[in-house]
Amino acid sequence: MLEEWGGKRYNSFGVHLRRLFGERVHRVSLDAGFTCPNRDGTLGTGGCIFCDAGGSRAGYVNPKTPVEEQLRSGMEIISKTTGAKKFIAYFQAFSNTYAPPETLETLYYSVQKFPDVVGIAISTRPDLVPDEILDLIEKIAVQKYVWLELGIQTMKEETLRRLNRGHGVQQNIDAIRRAKLRPHINILAHMILGLPDETDTEIIMNARMISELGVHGVKMHHLYVVENTVLANLYREGKAKVYEDVEDYAHIAVRFLENLRPDIIVHRLHGFATSGLIAPSWTSNRFLGTQKIEELLNKYNTYQGKYYNSPHF
Ligand code: SF4
């Protein structure tokens, strides 16, 4: 298995892409001007407690620029700095299925004319993937490499309520199950480790539950605090905690990986932010979290999926 994973102790997306496309492939983050029902008043106006007004937009993206221009300049910059020649167009900011199917069809197809774009990734909420939109994504996925990224975050109902997500566990399950009826769509779960009042056992159970639901990929995030969020107030009042020490996060991340299905592709091991960051400070280091997790995997001679078939809490 470790050989298949390029010597890593987890099934990394980078290695997977190199195997699939024969070279490095980079994501280009895009902001297609969507909003989110949890901000525009449909479900609420405050948003999730950890989300700032940028809706998880990448720092280098200018939302006022047309999407095709964002993609063109993103590819140019990444190509100059990394030498990459192939890209995934990543619809990242806010909820990228929050529009009528005809609008989405035009948008998703607009990036496909770029010959260097080998795939697309669409990030959205689990309550924003009705069947007609899944059908559209499946149609694209028949021709192109596609990831549908769902903001699952946790499988604990009470936490979803505390986060002010505006959806529950049932919608998480329903979105994954319906997406799985379309065999060409790769489904990814965004999961946050270290959410308020979640125990280590509950974090491990999250890994096991998304594994059993059959997702194909995961993005692991640690909880971090940025300015202009409800979480920032809670943190300053001492009512919310984060993994201040990267070692503490690395330990729980390793246990999460050990309980994850081994064929799930791990797109990221932790979050990253610089703009408006309050805590933990290591969030601004793109590599430190990964380095610590890999060190621990080696130190304990362990790997992704080690306990998937024999639960270990
Ligand atoms: S659903 Fe996404 S974009 Fe909307 S408030 Fe929550 S984190 Fe932000």
Side-chain angles (χ1 to χ4, degrees), residues 35-39 46-52 54-56 93-95 124-125 153 163-165 167:
T35 174
C36 162
N38 211 10
R39 286 197 171 274
C48 305
I49 65 168
F50 54 82
C51 177
D52 66 10
S56 311
F94 294 103
S95 303
T124 193
R125 295 166 52 90
Q153 319 303 5
L163 294 178
N164 193 37
R165 286 289 297 173
H167 67 80

Side-chain angles (χ1 to χ4, degrees), residues 84-125:
K85 295 188 192 76
K86 288 184 176 160
F87 303 91
I88 290 176
Y90 179 26
F91 293 98
Q92 179 181 19
F94 294 103
S95 303
N96 292 277
T97 55
Y98 193 33
E102 315 77 63
T103 310
L104 295 175
E105 182 158 18
T106 308
L107 176 70
Y108 298 157
Y109 276 103
S110 74
V111 298
Q112 294 205 38
K113 63 179 173 230
F114 293 86
D116 296 336
V117 173
V118 295
I120 70 171
I122 301 163
S123 180
T124 193
R125 295 166 52 90

Side-chain angles (χ1 to χ4, degrees), residues 268-312:
R268 57 161 56 198
L269 291 168
H270 54 86
F272 168 75
T274 50
S275 164
L277 178 67
I278 297 173
S281 56
W282 59 269
T283 306
S284 62
N285 186 320
R286 205 179 274 282
F287 308 105
L288 187 62
T290 301
Q291 186 190 317
K292 291 289 173 198
I293 291 166
E294 291 183 349
E295 271 173 25
L296 282 188
L297 288 167
N298 284 326
K299 181 175 170 186
Y300 296 121
N301 189 24
T302 189
Y303 49 87
Q304 180 182 340
K306 182 175 184 181
Y307 297 125
Y308 180 61
N309 289 318
S310 51
H312 181 87

